[in-house]
Amino acid sequence: MTQSIVQIESLTKVFDGKDRVVAVDGVDLELHEGEIFGLLGPNGAGKTTTIGMATTRILPSSGRIHINGIDVVKNPAEARQRIGVVPQFNTLDRSLTLFENLYYHCRYFAMGHGEAKARSIELLDQFLLAERKNAYPAQLSGGLAQRLQIARAIAHRPRVLFLDEPSAGLDPQSRLAMWSIVEDLHKEGITVLLTTHYMEEADKLSDRIAIIDHGRLLALGSSEKLKSIFGVRTVYELTLKSLEGIEIAAGQLRAQPGVESAEPHEHGLRIVAEKTDGLLPLIVEATKMQGLVDMRMQGANLETVFIKLTGRDLRD
Amino acid sequence: MISRKQCFTSFLGLMGRDLRVMRRELMPFLLRVGMQPLLFLFVFTTVLPRVSGGNPMGGGNFGQILLPGLMAVAIMFTGIASVALPLSTEFGITREIDDRVMGPIPVWLVGVEKLVFSALQCIVAAALVIPMAYYIPARPVVPDLTRWPLLLLVLLLASFLSSSIGLVIGSKVNPKQIGLVFSIVLVPITFLGSVYYPWAQLDSMRALQYAVLINPIVYMCEGLRAAITPAVPSMPWWISVPALAASLYLIGRWGIQSFVKRVIS
């Protein structure tokens, strides 16, 4: 039986004001000790707000969050001792060197001079930043800055690490490096909650995934489980030259047995089908008038799961 | 629970960080706090008396009037600048404050640390004016330090008060407009704050004399006058000190509340 380390119950956040926004709408989550948990959703789904509440920066409108048994709202300072946070943007202290960013972080967490110094040196080595220890954050590339942010977040040995969109703005190589860092930390036993809107990131890193949209959880489980429950269908993504008469074509396709939906969008048509036998020629035939430019077919993967659940592409 | 000792150690960590950054920027700090009193003393107590064939303002003890006033301006300027300016970047695009408010101490204590560190700078800035007032004017101005407990009390209250004003500004004002605040807040409060004339001498302009009483720098100047230049007429200390304490209580609370609100949404 795995121990749960983060419990989120009926979490809600409403931003009042001119435009009332329900950013998070009754989310329940439980993280098991030592797992990597991916919160997957498009921009504006409520991922960052959820992390903000779990990391004491945003006050929930209602609901409860416990981390390692500590009520985050009632005892924020104590909760912060057990969590490390890598925010979406580079928040490194620009007035301090790389070494000092780590050193003073340790001091904020009540370590003495000797301990803080030793820990900072250890982290600089571990994250291959020792050569640049006297540089300032402004001199770092995005990938290095991100690495330092992760080092800083774990400097006080937290139980849970929150990574908010960790690969946003990283080049592919830095992204791979970041993934391997997260996997190494995972091996050391830290629990990780990461938000992302990259399918492959969620798929590659996470033990379990929750899909979130409009502040609500739509599905939760391992990548395989989600694919087996929701992803039996195949998605045909059509790019068309013209959208004239597209409704007629979509109607024709909807009438085919095994076709679940056929929805026009700004570049063409998206067809979700359960049975694919013999469908391809029918699709080509039906869209003859519109001029088929490109077609992508996707079997059961997270992307199809996502489209099925939210009715839209992550990039829409 | 977080123990007191742990809170204190974290607090020292925050102070250590600020001290490190300041050590690195010592020269700019000294220039910032020193330039204004230096030029003021030079122009008003050395240049003007010579070019106008006599003292242009306030008679022979103008230096005496100016010393407490310039100390108050140094405190006000330093307090606001050393809290509001860094905060405007830290709350700005980079959100550099994040790491400090994510430590294991209550967020309001992070705000208090800003006040303490800034108050120390204010006291240094005020103290720097004293040797300047001795060496620069044609006639050296010597402060009377016999009432040092009162001086210390006024310095502390004034320093924390100006830092609190800085905290309110830094937490409330949009970083882009921080420069504007300096012209529309700092300039009027120093010019209408009994800096260059004792408050009592405003008696020929009654309305103005009472209107400026909402300006906290008036009490700083008058409190300092009562402490170090007893020859110059000043408001009794039992008015200026309680007024400073009350302003500090109100503005300090407002500052901390605004800071916490800015950090936690």
Side-chain angles (χ1 to χ4, degrees):
Chain A
M1 178 73 198
T2 39
Q3 198 102 34
S4 88
I5 183 145
V6 177
Q7 288 119 1
I8 296 177
E9 295 162 71
S10 333
L11 190 65
T12 301
K13 179 66 186 182
V14 181
F15 290 104
D16 275 319
K18 225 171 28 195
D19 307 302
R20 188 172 176 276
V21 178
V22 182
V24 176
D25 192 2
V27 164
D28 290 286
L29 268 186
E30 202 164 336
L31 263 64
H32 303 153
E33 177 122 47
E35 74 174 332
I36 300 185
F37 191 96
L39 203 52
L40 180 68
N43 292 327
K47 304 186 300 279
T48 299
T49 310
T50 304
I51 284 214
M53 288 189 279
T55 57
T56 77
R57 288 301 294 278
I58 300 175
L59 285 177
S61 305
S62 67
R64 277 170 307 279
I65 309 162
H66 285 86
I67 291 180
N68 202 16
I70 291 158
D71 187 321
V72 166
V73 178
K74 284 191 189 128
N75 299 306
E78 217 181 336
R80 285 199 285 266
Q81 228 166 5
R82 287 154 177 82
I83 60 175
V85 186
V86 179
Q88 203 167 343
F89 305 103
N90 175 349
T91 65
L92 294 169
D93 197 328
R94 311 296 199 271
S95 315
L96 299 177
T97 63
L98 267 58
F99 170 79
E100 287 165 349
N101 261 283
L102 298 173
Y103 173 80
Y104 284 107
H105 178 91
C106 294
R107 296 304 298 260
Y108 305 154
F109 279 84
M111 289 184 205
H113 165 73
E115 193 188 355
K117 195 175 162 193
R119 178 71 174 146
S120 309
I121 292 171
E122 178 192 334
L123 285 168
L124 286 171
D125 285 335
Q126 186 186 336
F127 285 82
L128 308 175
L129 290 164
E131 268 176 37
R132 313 285 310 265
K133 70 183 170 123
N134 292 322
Y136 286 87
Q139 301 165 309
L140 295 184
S141 68
L144 289 188
Q146 179 70 304
R147 220 189 285 168
L148 183 63
Q149 292 222 96
I150 298 177
R152 184 178 70 172
I154 61 157
H156 56 287
R157 301 187 176 86
R159 303 282 299 271
V160 185
L161 177 64
F162 292 87
L163 296 165
D164 194 5
E165 298 281 353
S167 55
L170 293 191
D171 56 76
Q173 206 177 349
S174 306
R175 183 175 305 162
L176 290 177
M178 190 271 299
W179 287 354
S180 89
I181 286 172
V182 173
E183 277 165 347
D184 287 346
L185 292 173
H186 179 228
K187 279 180 207 139
E188 288 170 26
I190 197 168
T191 310
V192 178
L193 174 65
L194 72 93
T195 72
T196 181
H197 63 277
Y198 295 110
M199 293 293 171
E200 42 164 345
E201 185 164 81
D203 208 356
K204 169 130 177 44
L205 287 177
S206 317
D207 298 311
R208 290 192 305 149
I209 294 169
I211 294 181
I212 182 171
D213 196 20
H214 300 300
R216 286 166 182 273
L217 280 196
L218 302 176
L220 193 156
S222 68
S223 173
E224 285 66 38
K225 189 175 156 198
L226 291 178
K227 284 175 206 164
S228 72
I229 298 177
F230 302 102
V232 287
R233 297 145 183 90
T234 303
V235 176
Y236 296 84
E237 194 69 58
L238 274 57
T239 309
L240 300 172
K241 217 182 279 171
S242 129
L243 294 180
E244 215 172 303
I246 188 71
E247 264 310 326
I248 301 166
Q252 277 175 11
L253 286 165
R254 277 185 211 118
Q256 297 300 326
V259 171
E260 196 167 279
S261 70
E263 295 304 325
H265 57 80
E266 59 178 306
H267 309 294
L269 187 62
R270 179 181 300 135
I271 302 150
V272 180
E274 248 176 292
K275 286 220 309 266
T276 53
D277 296 346
L279 189 57
L280 208 50
L282 291 173
I283 292 176
V284 176
E285 179 66 26
T287 55
K288 218 164 47 185
M289 298 286 294
Q290 287 75 29
L292 185 56
V293 179
D294 184 34
M295 178 164 71
R296 283 192 302 137
M297 235 175 103
Q298 292 186 338
N301 63 20
L302 265 187
E303 192 135 11
T304 55
V305 173
F306 191 87
I307 291 168
K308 165 73 186 157
L309 285 169
T310 64
R312 57 178 169 150
D313 199 309
L314 265 179
R315 285 170 290 270
D316 279 1
Chain B
M1 278 304 286
I2 303 287
S3 72
R4 283 218 180 145
K5 182 167 170 277
Q6 209 175 5
C7 255
F8 184 67
T9 323
S10 298
F11 191 86
L12 289 185
L14 294 168
M15 292 281 285
R17 181 260 170 211
D18 283 349
L19 207 62
R20 181 77 195 91
V21 174
M22 200 185 90
R23 274 222 311 268
R24 203 168 269 151
E25 288 158 12
L26 196 59
M27 224 26 227
F29 167 74
L30 291 177
L31 285 175
R32 195 176 71 198
V33 302
M35 194 57 89
Q36 195 177 15
L38 187 87
L39 288 176
F40 238 97
L41 284 163
F42 181 65
V43 170
F44 282 91
T45 63
T46 306
V47 177
L48 280 183
R50 287 197 196 163
V51 296
S52 59
N55 275 312
M57 315 160 72
N61 68 347
F62 189 55
Q64 295 270 325
I65 294 171
L66 212 47
L67 171 62
L70 289 180
M71 285 170 77
V73 171
I75 290 175
M76 190 53 114
F77 194 73
T78 307
I80 295 181
S82 64
V83 182
L85 291 184
L87 261 190
S88 76
T89 18
E90 289 169 358
F91 275 138
I93 304 171
T94 65
R95 299 282 307 184
E96 280 169 74
I97 195 87
D98 264 33
D99 196 40
R100 272 162 279 162
V101 296
M102 289 306 290
I105 60 172
V107 174
W108 62 266
L109 254 178
V110 180
V112 170
E113 188 275 334
K114 292 237 164 240
L115 295 184
V116 173
F117 191 74
S118 160
L120 289 175
Q121 295 180 65
C122 290
I123 291 171
V124 171
L128 280 177
V129 181
I130 294 176
M132 285 189 206
Y134 184 80
Y135 289 109
I136 297 168
R139 259 174 45 193
V141 182
V142 184
D144 175 358
L145 297 177
T146 50
R147 302 164 164 216
W148 61 268
L150 178 62
L151 172 63
L152 201 65
L153 182 64
V154 174
L155 274 181
L156 279 174
L157 288 173
S159 298
F160 275 98
L161 174 56
S162 67
S163 309
S164 302
I165 297 173
L167 192 60
V168 172
I169 294 173
S171 309
K172 286 269 177 205
V173 176
N174 181 337
K176 277 189 213 145
Q177 266 127 30
I178 208 88
L180 186 65
V181 169
F182 270 76
S183 352
I184 60 168
V185 176
L186 201 61
V187 173
I189 62 177
T190 50
F191 275 91
L192 297 174
S194 309
V195 171
Y196 313 112
Y197 39 81
W199 181 73
Q201 283 181 4
L202 280 179
D203 56 0
S204 54
M205 306 172 77
R206 280 279 175 208
L208 184 64
Q209 191 176 28
Y210 288 105
V212 299
L213 286 178
I214 58 158
N215 185 352
I217 203 172
V218 169
Y219 305 104
M220 297 185 190
C221 295
E222 292 294 309
L224 287 169
R225 283 195 180 106
I228 57 170
T229 55
V232 178
S234 65
M235 211 180 259
W237 68 266
W238 46 264
I239 294 181
S240 53
V241 169
L244 281 176
S247 321
L248 172 59
Y249 174 74
L250 291 175
I251 296 175
R253 248 179 70 146
W254 185 25
I256 296 286
Q257 279 169 356
S258 316
F259 178 76
V260 172
K261 225 171 149 178
R262 185 72 190 262
V263 171
I264 296 171
S265 43

